[in-house]
Amino acid sequence: MTRGKTGRGGSSPAPSSVDVARLAGVSQKTVSRVFNDEPYVSAEVRRRVLEAAEQLGYRRNNAARALASGRTRSIGVVTLGTALYGPASLLIGVERVVRDTGYALRVVNTMEGDPAGLAGAVDSLLDQGVDGIVISEPIDEQSPGGGEPLRIDVPVVAFGAPPPPVTAPTVLTAGRGADLMARAATEHLLALGHGTVHHLAGPQRWYAARDRLTGWRASLTEQGLDAPAAIEGDWSAASGYLAGRELAENGDVTAVFAANDDMAIGLIRALTEAGRRVPEDVSVVGLDDIPVAAYVTPPLTTVRQPFDAMAQEGLKRLVHAIENPNADPLPPSGPPVDLIVRASTAPPPSRTTPAHGRRTVIARRPPSGHPHPGDPKSP
């Protein structure tokens, strides 16, 4: 049997698990199970897969080394393909920690809106024989009704999200605590004397956005306060600007917690254009502590995300699970909450008369066509 078309320089393209599956007459997942020595594969199917792999020259040396040593000293990462500050910073932290542990790193990006992306990415990493998998999938991509759990035969750690529907020797979580950061932001504003705090939320398909909304609402509830309706943004400064234009129309708004710094910066721009001074009239808190947060006008009060600490804890626990498969998992540690107080927050403006006719802000997702700040034609 031929191995495929010859490419430039006379070399054939490297065979993939798809090629092995096609030749053996099985699914790609079955090929993965054979090479990862999973149970529930018949001897006949295993024989066909191994013969097909040998005929095609599919990773025979890599597979042999992995079986001989028991480990490949590599860790796979499934991450959302995005340039957003949070996911990108966490991936950098993971890369740094993995390098320090002496393991190699294999990264597979998924795309937002692809429910099958996680399963395909995991299969790709298992094909490479990784010893453990990091899932940094901050978006809920589960289809209605869920589906069959992924079967993974190596330890897994999920960052910033509930454990995914998988069966694995060890399933860990790390990087949770966005609700605690939201509480810190909200309680800072309440401690300054604000009667309530409005919230500019992130897109609710993101686990972190849900956690931040939950923490904000819980802080108000514990103080006996009703939570105003949140406005949902999309993490961008443009969506923050739109929300700021809406909130500026409500004279009772004196404090806003934005789910990330970019939206907070757009919000401040809109409030300033509308004649609402920050922080004299409205206080604003963000979350992340992006590098520019200290240099905007006014410098932004925010909650710093401990990306390096999150990566350090998650990878330490994952490596322990890989190297000590019969030991109990290391316990998680509480995430540090670091409120950075700058000039965008202050006590509320004094009022000579009580406020009446408090308007309810209707929650909505900003339209896809974001206006440019200062555009007189913007709605």
Side-chain angles (χ1 to χ4, degrees):
M1 168 170 283
T2 60
R3 296 188 181 184
K5 296 180 181 179
T6 302
R8 287 178 296 179
S11 61
S12 300
S16 69
S17 60
V18 174
D19 299 321
V20 176
R22 184 181 298 113
L23 182 59
V26 299
S27 69
Q28 185 180 4
K29 179 60 180 176
T30 297
V31 173
S32 176
R33 287 174 176 165
V34 168
F35 279 102
N36 286 285
D37 202 27
E38 293 185 19
Y40 311 116
V41 179
S42 70
E44 170 61 20
V45 169
R46 190 179 301 275
R47 180 190 63 77
R48 283 172 22 216
V49 169
L50 293 176
E51 287 182 355
E54 184 173 3
Q55 182 175 344
L56 294 173
Y58 170 73
R59 293 197 185 108
R60 294 309 300 152
N61 292 334
N62 287 342
R65 281 197 297 269
L67 290 173
S69 66
R71 290 200 297 267
T72 61
R73 294 200 66 79
S74 63
I75 290 175
V77 179
V78 182
T79 185
L80 186 69
T82 177
L84 287 171
Y85 180 78
S89 297
L90 182 57
L91 178 59
I92 291 171
V94 168
E95 288 177 329
R96 185 180 299 117
V97 174
V98 170
R99 183 171 61 246
D100 291 342
T101 65
Y103 279 73
L105 189 68
R106 309 279 185 260
V107 179
V108 177
N109 289 311
T110 63
M111 299 305 295
E112 184 174 353
D114 179 10
L118 176 59
V122 167
D123 276 351
S124 174
L125 291 171
L126 291 176
D127 279 348
Q128 299 176 57
V130 296
D131 299 321
I133 291 180
V134 174
I135 298 178
S136 182
E137 278 279 297
I139 295 180
D140 184 357
E141 295 284 17
Q142 289 300 310
S143 57
E148 289 297 320
L150 296 176
R151 295 183 58 203
I152 303 175
D153 66 342
V154 297
V156 173
V157 61
F159 276 102
V166 302
T167 59
T170 305
V171 181
L172 308 167
T173 59
R176 303 301 302 270
D179 58 330
L180 300 179
M181 298 177 199
R183 281 175 172 268
T186 306
E187 289 165 8
H188 167 66
L189 292 166
L190 294 175
L192 289 171
H194 294 274
T196 192
V197 178
H198 290 254
H199 183 42
L200 171 51
Q204 292 301 292
R205 291 176 60 218
W206 291 64
Y207 294 108
R210 297 180 194 171
D211 288 346
R212 293 169 203 186
L213 185 142
T214 297
W216 158 77
R217 183 175 287 137
S219 293
L220 295 179
T221 300
E222 290 172 4
Q223 297 294 323
L225 302 171
D226 291 331
I231 299 176
E232 183 175 337
D234 64 6
W235 299 127
S236 70
S239 69
Y241 180 81
L242 278 173
R245 291 182 59 161
E246 182 173 336
L247 291 170
E249 297 175 2
N250 185 349
D252 291 338
V253 175
T254 66
V256 183
F257 161 50
N260 77 336
D261 289 345
D262 286 314
M263 292 194 299
I265 290 169
L267 170 73
I268 291 173
R269 172 66 181 271
L271 291 172
T272 302
E273 287 184 358
R276 304 291 300 279
R277 299 168 300 167
V278 177
E280 292 85 355
D281 299 319
V282 182
S283 290
V284 177
V285 178
L287 194 150
D288 277 340
D289 194 29
I290 63 176
V292 75
Y295 302 98
V296 295
T297 303
L300 182 65
T301 295
T302 186
V303 182
R304 178 175 296 156
Q305 285 232 62
F307 295 111
D308 286 344
M310 290 161 53
Q312 184 74 41
E313 182 202 1
L315 268 297
K316 177 182 178 181
R317 296 173 66 212
L318 180 64
V319 170
H320 178 269
I322 292 170
E323 298 182 348
N324 303 275
N326 297 320
D328 291 335
L330 294 178
S333 60
V337 178
D338 193 4
L339 176 70
I340 311 298
V341 179
R342 298 192 179 105
S344 66
T345 53
S350 59
R351 295 182 183 273
T352 57
T353 59
H356 296 285
R358 188 178 299 274
R359 184 171 70 90
T360 299
V361 179
I362 299 175
R364 63 177 178 85
R365 187 185 302 273
S368 58
H370 297 311
H372 187 280
D375 183 356
K377 295 181 181 180
S378 301

